[in-house]
Amino acid sequence: MKTRRPRKQLLVLSLVLTGGFVCRESAAQQGAPSTPKALQVPLAQNAGSVNAQQSTAGSAGSTSSVNTINSTIQVSGNYQGSVPDPKAPQGSLTLTIAEAIGRGLQFNLGGITANVSVRQARAQRLAALSQMLPNIYGTLSEASAKVDLQTLGLSASAFGGRLPVPTTVGPFHYYTALGNVNEDLSFTALHNIRQSEALLQAARMSTANARELIVLAVAGTYLRVIANKANVRSQEAQVKQAEASYKLAADQYQAGTKTIIDSNKSLVELRTQKQRLSALRGDLLKETMQLARLIGLPAGQQLVLSEDLPVQVPDTISLEEGIKIALDERPDLKAARLQLKAAAEARRAAKSEYLPSLSINGDYGLEGINPNRGVSAYQVSAGLNIHIFDSGRVRADVDQADAVFSQLQAQYDDLKGAVDLDVRQAYVDLQVAAEQMKVAQANRQLAAETLTQSVDRFASGVTNSVEVVQSQETVAAAEQDYISTLFSLNLSRISLAKAIGQAEQFIPNMLKGN
């Protein structure tokens, strides 16, 4: 009996320890402990757009106008706004178009939003990468327990009644200090990483496209401001001409060589020209405020634009070459291509859910009844997870990924057609504006000559003030047509640069020397 009792106690102790080891192994296979996860605020979506448009002028305009095109620059969404420049200079600020574009790229809200999207895509890539990297964490625990052996299936009847098995064991006390590692490897996680990398590159291309739009918005607004400034200068000249005509008519009326009607008509024309000047100055002020808003300056900032609209029409590349460059270089097309690549990786990731995955878990540390009597302990386990049946969940993922891929493929094919159309329309706009420019220059010269002759005829008493007023209106219309066509010509140039994806490269230098 004395020799058997230690064996029985050793057997019971072994069973208890075996049960404890099984419990510890189950805990280790559960992976990393659950931790609170921060909730993220979604990004605001209001990207907006920038469009330079040229259309045929309607018949509602002045009958003396020969201008047949109407060009506009339309800015919407985030591209309309900016964040304030904290170091904005006080007083008057002189800007070239390159300096205005530089400020726009730095402070325009559209560019800032695009940069934030890149940061978000970078964070998503990091999250995808974490699926392939091991999770390493530490656990420190202390426990006191009393075990009911019968709940573990250990009783005297389990051994045929030949061994006396106690009902409970304990209470006993122990502690653990472990370093844990978990690793899950799968083809799905690998394709998720590739998808996130493609999306990050697409976000960068979208940022490049946002910069192109900012350049177009700032440059188009800059051109519109200097066109309005030219209109103001032209109108000031018209006011001076009207003042001279009125003085001549008033002097001749006082001399008795002309009637009061001629003097009154000249006075009405003078007041009309002054009213036009007041309206044009108001337009110039509002356009200048809009430009300041785009580039992060206060609305009340006094701006002086140091460049004028160039008259010369530069040589351009051929239409075929322009289309080829656009299809290769347009950042929005590159972004769509990368998004399509990401969708292809997402589809591969969904199909990879059918493949086996590998899980590895392990820990190493100290265990014992107290910190002073601990012993080293470790445990490693690996498992191969094989897909058998999931009630159609993987099939649903594959179908959804296929649908997204098909949609992005259609959008990419459509965008290629839109890029081709943008380039062709930009070429047409540039050709129309160049032809209109020749007509406007000729009409401007003829109108000035006609006015000079009318004033001479009026001073000689050959005609009355009606002819002079009509000539003045013709000159005013010709000047307005000339400036409007000059704006259309240069707007077409920057629109073509944007259409082929070279706005940031070309536009900042287009006004040098003017």
Side-chain angles (χ1 to χ4, degrees), residues 96-241:
T96 64
I97 190 171
E99 292 169 340
I101 289 172
R103 283 186 164 274
L105 292 174
Q106 183 177 2
F107 298 109
N108 188 270
L109 185 59
I112 293 174
T113 302
N115 289 330
V116 170
S117 297
V118 172
R119 292 174 58 188
Q120 185 184 49
R122 190 180 295 115
Q124 291 172 348
R125 176 185 176 277
L126 183 60
L129 185 60
S130 68
Q131 296 179 5
M132 292 288 289
L133 296 177
N135 294 319
I136 301 175
Y137 60 96
T139 57
L140 180 63
S141 64
E142 182 177 1
S144 179
K146 183 177 182 180
V147 179
D148 185 354
L149 295 182
Q150 292 184 354
T151 61
L152 300 177
L154 301 177
S155 62
S157 61
F159 299 97
R162 294 188 296 271
L163 294 176
V165 179
T167 305
T168 61
V169 176
F172 55 91
H173 176 272
Y174 66 95
Y175 83 97
T176 60
L178 301 174
N180 304 269
V181 60
N182 303 103
E183 175 69 65
D184 294 317
L185 299 174
S186 66
F187 288 100
T188 298
L190 178 62
H191 289 299
N192 285 340
I193 293 175
R194 293 175 178 175
Q195 174 197 356
S196 63
E197 289 175 346
L199 289 176
L200 176 57
Q201 296 174 9
R204 289 170 177 162
M205 287 297 101
S206 296
T207 299
N209 185 61
R211 292 176 66 89
E212 291 278 295
L213 292 175
I214 292 170
V215 171
L216 179 61
V218 175
T221 306
Y222 189 100
L223 293 177
R224 192 165 56 188
V225 172
I226 58 179
N228 284 341
K229 185 174 68 172
N231 276 325
V232 169
R233 287 199 301 261
S234 173
Q235 189 60 34
E236 289 173 346
Q238 302 306 316
V239 170
K240 291 181 179 179
Q241 178 62 47

Side-chain angles (χ1 to χ4, degrees), residues 309-320:
L309 292 170
V311 180
Q312 299 298 326
V313 180
D315 295 331
T316 60
I317 59 178
S318 64
L319 174 60
E320 291 74 17

